[in-house]
Amino acid sequence: MSAVAHIDDYKSGLHYSDEFRGEMSWNGYEANNLLRNEGCREGEVDQAGDSCTLRFSDVAHVLGADDLRDSRGVAVTDIDNDGDLDLAINHNTGYEPMTPQGPAALLRNDVGSSRGWLSLQLRGTTSNRDAIGAVVSLEAGGLRQTRQRTAGSGYASQQSGRLHFGLGDAPSVDRLTIRWPSGKEETFEDIPARSRIRITEGEGLEVLSAGH
Amino acid sequence: MATKRRRILWALPLLLLAAVLWAGAQARRINNEAEILAATGTDAIKMLKAYAEGIQHKDVESLLEHYAQDYSNPAQGFWEQVTRNERDGVRLSDWRSGTPREFSKAEIEEQLQQFLASFTTLEMAKLKLTAVEEIRPEEGTAVLRSVLWVRGQDLESRTFETQATLRFWVQRHGETLLIHRQELLSGETVSGDRRGFSEIARASGIDFVAQQNPLFSTPEWTPEKFGILRYGPAGVSAADYDGDGWDDLFFADGRAPRLYRNLGGSQSSPLRFEDVTVQVGLPQEEFGVNIGLFVDFDNDGDLDLFESRFMAGGLLYRNDGPGADGYTVFTDVSASANLGRGFVTVAAAADYDLDGDVDLYLGRYLDPRKELPTTLFYTRNGQGNSLLRNDGDLTFTDVTASAGVREGGLTLGVAWGDYDRDGDPDLYVANDFGRNALLRNEGKGEDGIVRFSDVSQEAGALDFGFGMSASWGDPDNDGDLDIYVSNVHSGQRWYGQAITLYHYLFNSVRQGTIGQDLATFREIYRYAGADWSDYGDSMVNGNSLLINDGAGHFTEVPEATRTNPFGWYWGSTFLDYDNDGRQDLYAANGWISGRTYDDL
C-alpha cells in the first residue's frame, strides 16, 4: 500500500530491493497447480453450439504434483516413454540465506497411462524439417482435439517436439489431419491407440511402436 | 514540435480528469474513501487471520468469538458435501447449502463443530479476503467475500484440499469486526493419496540446482532500480537433441545452464540421466541464460541450440551429430549468427514467413540498472522485442521494424499460434505490469514484406495484469486455439479497486510525479476509459484463459471456470496429463521464499 501513498519511494526502486523485503517471503512456499479439465457443464452449450462453460479443478496437491519451490519454467514431455506426460520444472534460488529452492524437479506421471494415447512425430520436407507450426486435428472417442507443434512457449520453456494426444477409452484414432506450414493438408485414418508414429510430409506414416 | 503538440492533445482528457480530481472536495472524498477501504480491508484481514488460526487449532470457542451475539439469518443451510466424481484416485466434491432454516449463533456452532470434525489434521488453513463488496462507514458495516482454504488429512486418512467462497456481513465493534450474517457461495473439496506423480529428479541423475547470476553483484550490472529481477530465471526445455527417441532436458540458469541426456529406462531399470553439458561442447559456465531452444535451424535433420543471454547477445550452437566419443558435438557459431543484443528473457521459434526455415522471436525486459516499471499497474518501458529472420545458413537478419513487432512491454511470455487459421503463425506476447499483445500475421504484402498488426484490443486479448507466460491450446476441443496466460492472483485483490487507482493518480499530482507518468495514464485511459473499476481488479485477478470464438475474438472464461488460482504464477502450459482427451493445465507458482510465509 505504501507504493500508492508514497510514489516517490516507489520511483526510487526501494520496493524492489532486498533490503525492503528483508527476510519476508513474497508468495513463498506456494504450491503449483494441476488444473484438471472437467469438460463442459451439462446442458451449458452456448448458442453457437461449439463452446461451453469449462470447469477445472486443482488436483495438484492430492495427486502429489504440487512442488512448493519457487517454480519458473515448465516443460511437458513423456520423459520415460510410458504413454503419459511428465513435467520438468525449473526454479529460482529464493532468498539466498535460506535453504535452497533451486533443485530442479521432474514429476513422473503415474496415472495417465491407464488410458489410451497417441504419440506423434512430424517431419517436414517442403515445410521446415521440425514441422514447427504444423497443426494436427484428431478425432477419437467422439472428441476432436487440436494441437500445434511449437518451439518455445510458457515461461522461457520448450515443450516436447512429439505431439501427445490422450485417447481415453477409444481403441483407435478415427481420423488425423495435419496442416503443414507449407499449406499441404494430409489425412490418416484408423491408427491404433498406444502407438508411436512418425509422419513425414508427403511421404506417409511410419509406426515406430504400437500396442504397449 | 508537432509531436509535442500531439502528445499534449492526447493527454487532454487525462489532464481534465486530473483537474477534476484536484478539485478540493473531490480530492478529499477520494482520500477519505481510499483510507476507509484500506482500513476496512486491513481489519478484515486481521479478523480472517484469527479465524483461520481458530480452524487450524480446532478451537470452536475462539471461532465463535468472531460472531455477533445476536447473529441471525432467517434462511441458511448447513454445509453439505456432494461427490461429483471419482477417478484416478481423486474424489471431487461440491459444497452446497442444505435446506434453509433459521440460523442463530447456536446453529453456527453446530456447523463449525461438524466442519472441524470432518478432518483429523490440517497442514494449512487460510481465509483469503477476495473482495470488500460494500462499505457503510456511517453504520460501521461491510460485506466481505472470502475464500476458506484448507489442506490436511480427512477421516479416511486421505489428503484433502478445500476451497469454499463465503460472504460475511460484518459490523465494527471498536477495534474488531463481528460477523452478523454469512452465506456459502460455492465450494469444492478434492481428496486423494498423493501418489499420482513421483518426484524423480535426483534419483534419476538430475542434480541441477538453480543459481543466481553473479554479474548482478558486479558494479557494472548492479540492478539499482529493479533489483528483484535477479529472482526471475529461468526456463527449461524438453527436446530429443540426439534423436534417440528419448526426450532430453536443458535447464537454463543465471550461472551454469545444464544439458541432461536421457539414457532411457524400462520397467526393470529406472530412468537415468547424464549431465553432458561439457561433453557436448557447451561451456561449464554461461551467465544469464534464461532460455535454450532446440530447433533445426539449418534443416539438416538435427536440433541446433539457441541460448539467450540477459547481459549479452544470444548464442547459437550448431549440432554436428555424434563425435568420436559418441557424444553429440555442438559447435559455437554465434559470432556470425547476428542474434542481436541482450536483455532477452524469453524466445519462441516459428516459420513466420513460410519460406521453409524457422525464425526466432525474442522477448525482452527492461534494463534493471536504470529503469523500473513506471507504475505498479502499467508500464511500457521494455527494451523492445526482436524478430530475427533465418537466412537459411545459420545467420539471421533483424526484421523487427519492417514486420512491426517491437512491442514495448516487459515481456515474459511469447508464443506462436495460428489463431485465425489462415495458415501463418500469429504471435501472442505476455507482458509483466500492464497489457499483452496479439500480433496478427498479415502475410506478405505486395512488396514481399511480411507485416503484423497489433489486434490486441479489437480481439479482446489485452489481458491486463502481470503476464508471466503464454501458451496456445484447445481446452474446449472446438478446433481453434485458445490462450492461457499466467498472472498474479493477489491477496491484495480487494485493494485493486478504482478508488485505489484514483488515489494513486491524485497522489501523483500532489507529489509531482504526474509528469513522468502521463503517458502511462494516457494508455490506460485509451484501453479502459475513465472508469477503472474493472481495470484494478483485472490486474490482480490471476491467470487468464482466453477462449477463441473461432472468428478471432477472445473472451476470458468466467471465474467459475477456476483457472485463476491464488498465487504468483510463472510457467504455465496445457497438457492432457490423464489422457482423457481434454487438455488440462499446469501452472507454476511461487515468487520469493524467505523466512516467513507471507504472501502479497
Side-chain angles (χ1 to χ4, degrees):
Chain A
M1 273 164 250
S2 63
V4 175
H6 302 285
I7 301 171
D8 38 356
D9 281 352
Y10 175 83
K11 296 278 183 192
S12 72
L14 170 76
H15 297 106
Y16 297 115
S17 67
D18 276 356
E19 293 70 31
F20 178 77
R21 200 182 57 259
E23 297 185 340
M24 266 179 84
S25 287
W26 280 7
N27 292 75
Y29 312 101
E30 296 219 326
N32 296 353
N33 303 83
L34 177 58
L35 304 173
R36 187 173 78 180
N37 188 338
E38 299 289 317
C40 296
R41 293 187 206 198
E42 256 176 76
E44 280 195 4
V45 176
D46 77 358
Q47 287 176 331
D50 61 359
S51 71
C52 57
T53 305
L54 291 168
R55 185 141 58 151
F56 289 78
S57 290
D58 180 13
V59 295
H61 182 61
V62 299
L63 280 177
D66 48 353
D67 188 2
L68 292 179
R69 282 169 253 171
D70 296 343
S71 302
R72 297 291 178 267
V74 178
V76 173
T77 158
D78 181 3
I79 199 80
D80 51 357
N81 286 339
D82 71 342
D84 54 31
L85 293 171
D86 311 293
L87 291 156
I89 303 165
N90 201 353
H91 303 91
N92 194 268
T93 54
Y95 175 63
E96 277 211 301
M98 291 299 298
T99 41
Q101 297 284 309
L106 179 58
L107 295 172
R108 187 187 65 207
N109 183 343
D110 297 328
V111 288
S113 58
S114 63
R115 298 190 185 84
W117 48 271
L118 179 79
S119 173
L120 171 60
Q121 242 182 71
L122 297 174
R123 185 171 285 174
T125 52
T126 315
S127 305
N128 69 82
R129 168 95 178 185
D130 290 339
I132 294 163
V135 178
V136 179
S137 282
L138 172 152
E139 289 163 43
L143 292 177
R144 179 180 51 152
Q145 304 177 50
T146 303
R147 307 262 194 285
Q148 58 165 357
R149 167 74 160 96
T150 62
S153 65
Y155 173 67
S157 296
Q158 181 175 12
Q159 315 306 323
S160 172
R162 298 180 288 175
L163 298 183
H164 183 96
F165 294 86
L167 301 181
D169 302 328
S172 63
V173 173
D174 300 329
R175 177 193 290 266
L176 183 152
T177 304
I178 303 169
R179 206 183 63 209
W180 299 90
S182 65
K184 187 180 177 67
E185 229 177 82
E186 296 187 84
T187 298
F188 301 86
E189 292 183 346
D190 294 328
I191 306 162
R194 297 178 186 271
S195 309
R196 276 168 222 295
I197 61 173
R198 175 161 54 215
I199 297 175
T200 305
E201 185 179 11
E203 294 172 17
L205 179 155
E206 266 170 276
V207 177
L208 304 176
S209 75
H212 287 291
Chain B
M1 204 51 210
T3 323
K4 210 171 206 175
R5 203 166 294 143
R6 247 198 324 273
R7 217 176 272 158
I8 289 165
L9 279 175
W10 261 104
L12 267 180
L14 273 162
L15 287 173
L16 214 62
L17 184 61
V20 170
L21 296 177
W22 187 238
Q26 192 73 343
R28 268 197 302 279
R29 182 185 67 77
I30 285 173
N31 221 359
N32 193 27
E33 278 187 27
E35 274 168 19
I36 289 170
L37 174 64
T40 307
T42 308
D43 289 344
I45 286 172
K46 213 180 293 169
M47 187 270 278
L48 294 170
K49 198 172 172 195
Y51 197 113
E53 277 166 18
I55 291 174
Q56 183 91 56
H57 298 119
K58 289 200 169 200
D59 183 351
V60 177
E61 291 307 312
S62 85
L63 288 172
L64 285 171
E65 283 172 15
H66 299 294
Y67 290 87
Q69 271 318 322
D70 57 351
Y71 182 99
S72 111
N73 187 350
Q76 186 172 339
F78 283 99
W79 299 339
E80 294 175 355
Q81 279 188 45
V82 186
T83 302
R84 196 197 311 168
N85 64 44
E86 192 158 2
R87 60 191 169 102
D88 302 334
V90 175
R91 188 183 304 148
L92 171 58
S93 314
D94 291 304
W95 281 37
R96 64 177 191 200
S97 291
T99 318
R101 48 170 292 172
E102 198 173 328
F103 254 57
S104 68
K105 203 165 173 178
E107 282 73 24
I108 290 288
E109 179 171 1
E110 194 179 334
Q111 168 145 92
L112 288 168
Q113 295 281 16
Q114 278 178 21
F115 173 61
L116 296 178
S118 70
F119 51 82
T120 53
T121 53
L122 286 187
E123 60 190 73
M124 184 194 94
K126 284 183 182 173
L127 272 150
K128 306 273 277 191
L129 178 64
T130 52
V132 177
E133 294 182 343
E134 196 188 298
I135 305 179
R136 291 175 189 246
E138 60 288 350
E139 290 155 36
T141 63
V143 182
L144 313 173
R145 198 167 65 232
S146 170
V147 173
L148 166 65
W149 184 9
V150 293
R151 287 190 195 129
Q153 304 286 311
D154 67 15
L155 301 179
E156 300 169 52
S157 300
R158 287 159 62 88
T159 297
F160 81 96
E161 177 164 8
T162 289
Q163 282 195 5
T165 306
L166 299 163
R167 180 174 283 144
F168 295 113
W169 284 259
V170 295
Q171 179 141 37
R172 181 176 290 283
H173 291 258
E175 291 285 287
T176 55
L177 299 176
L178 290 181
I179 303 165
H180 60 99
R181 203 178 135 196
Q182 77 181 34
E183 181 188 0
L184 169 69
L185 298 176
S186 65
E188 192 177 286
T189 295
V190 289
S191 64
D193 61 8
R194 282 186 63 81
R195 274 187 258 168
F197 284 79
S198 311
E199 213 287 85
I200 60 161
R202 198 156 280 268
S204 61
I206 295 174
D207 54 1
F208 179 79
V209 180
Q211 298 177 80
Q212 297 248 342
N213 183 340
L215 293 178
F216 279 130
S217 310
T218 60
E220 193 199 345
W221 277 99
T222 299
E224 301 277 354
K225 285 283 194 181
F226 200 63
I228 208 158
L229 188 85
R230 70 179 85 220
Y231 298 99
V236 53
S237 298
D240 183 10
Y241 78 90
D242 56 357
D244 67 353
W246 296 86
D247 273 351
D248 310 292
L249 293 173
F250 175 84
F251 290 90
D253 182 38
R255 180 173 201 134
R258 309 280 4 119
L259 177 62
Y260 289 87
R261 183 175 173 225
N262 187 339
L263 306 177
S266 67
Q267 293 265 328
S268 52
S269 75
L271 194 69
R272 292 297 302 167
F273 291 86
E274 180 190 1
D275 179 347
V276 295
T277 313
V278 174
Q279 287 86 335
V280 301
L282 299 175
Q284 177 65 29
E285 285 198 324
E286 189 66 73
F287 298 161
V289 175
N290 209 48
I291 179 168
L293 286 183
F294 292 84
V295 173
D296 187 358
F297 286 111
D298 54 1
N299 280 324
D300 69 346
D302 52 34
L303 297 175
D304 311 300
L305 170 60
F306 164 81
E307 287 182 16
S308 72
R309 286 186 296 185
F310 196 78
M311 279 91 163
L315 298 168
L316 187 63
Y317 295 95
R318 185 184 63 217
N319 186 329
D320 288 327
D325 56 4
Y327 290 104
T328 300
V329 177
F330 281 104
T331 305
D332 188 345
V333 295
S334 315
S336 52
N338 190 26
L339 294 168
R341 63 210 164 82
F343 300 110
V344 172
T345 45
V346 290
D351 183 10
Y352 83 97
D353 53 358
L354 301 175
D355 67 347
D357 55 34
V358 181
D359 313 292
L360 260 178
Y361 188 71
L362 308 181
R364 292 193 174 83
Y365 211 80
L366 48 66
D367 183 343
R369 299 169 296 184
K370 301 175 191 145
E371 308 247 32
L372 78 175
T374 316
T375 66
L376 261 180
F377 41 87
Y378 199 91
T379 198
R380 294 292 284 172
N381 54 346
Q383 280 286 320
N385 302 342
S386 298
L387 178 60
L388 304 180
R389 187 188 68 208
N390 186 344
D391 294 325
D393 51 355
L394 297 175
T395 66
F396 291 80
T397 302
D398 189 326
V399 294
T400 313
S402 67
V405 290
R406 180 188 178 273
E407 251 297 293
L410 312 187
T411 300
L412 291 178
V414 291
W416 293 95
D418 183 12
Y419 82 97
D420 55 0
R421 293 185 279 188
D422 65 350
D424 53 36
D426 311 292
L427 192 54
Y428 196 71
V429 181
N431 294 319
D432 208 357
F433 293 90
R435 70 144 180 119
N436 300 340
L438 177 62
L439 304 171
R440 186 173 69 201
N441 188 333
E442 304 290 1
K444 255 185 198 138
E446 282 178 16
D447 52 6
I449 293 171
V450 176
R451 290 187 177 79
F452 291 73
S453 310
D454 184 340
V455 296
S456 323
Q457 190 167 16
E458 61 190 86
L462 286 166
D463 192 50
F464 302 114
F466 301 88
M468 291 193 268
S469 65
S471 305
W472 296 93
D474 187 18
D476 55 356
N477 282 334
D478 67 348
D480 54 45
L481 293 174
D482 312 303
I483 308 168
Y484 193 63
V485 184
S486 69
N487 277 304
V488 171
H489 190 163
S490 171
Q492 308 286 325
R493 185 175 170 186
W494 59 274
Y495 193 53
Q497 294 193 14
I499 191 71
T500 304
L501 291 180
Y502 293 143
H503 191 215
Y504 187 97
L505 179 58
F506 166 67
N507 279 345
S508 65
V509 173
R510 203 171 53 174
Q511 295 175 18
T513 52
I514 182 76
Q516 300 168 47
D517 293 349
L518 207 54
T520 296
F521 286 114
R522 188 182 72 195
E523 279 215 30
I524 298 174
Y525 180 81
R526 184 169 139 205
Y527 296 124
D531 177 6
W532 294 344
S533 325
D534 293 333
Y535 184 83
D537 188 64
S538 67
M539 281 301 293
V540 286
N541 68 1
N543 301 349
S544 307
L545 176 58
L546 305 174
I547 296 287
N548 187 343
D549 68 357
H553 191 270
F554 294 85
T555 308
E556 184 171 353
V557 295
E559 204 131 18
T561 298
R562 293 175 59 81
T563 40
N564 66 329
F566 291 111
W568 199 293
Y569 289 88
W570 292 81
S572 63
T573 184
F574 290 97
L575 81 161
D576 180 6
Y577 84 92
D578 56 357
N579 283 334
D580 71 345
R582 291 189 174 89
Q583 284 192 302
D584 314 296
L585 284 161
Y586 195 77
N589 184 14
W591 178 207
I592 304 171
S593 293
R595 275 187 215 284
T596 64
Y597 285 78
D598 302 283
D599 55 17
L600 292 178

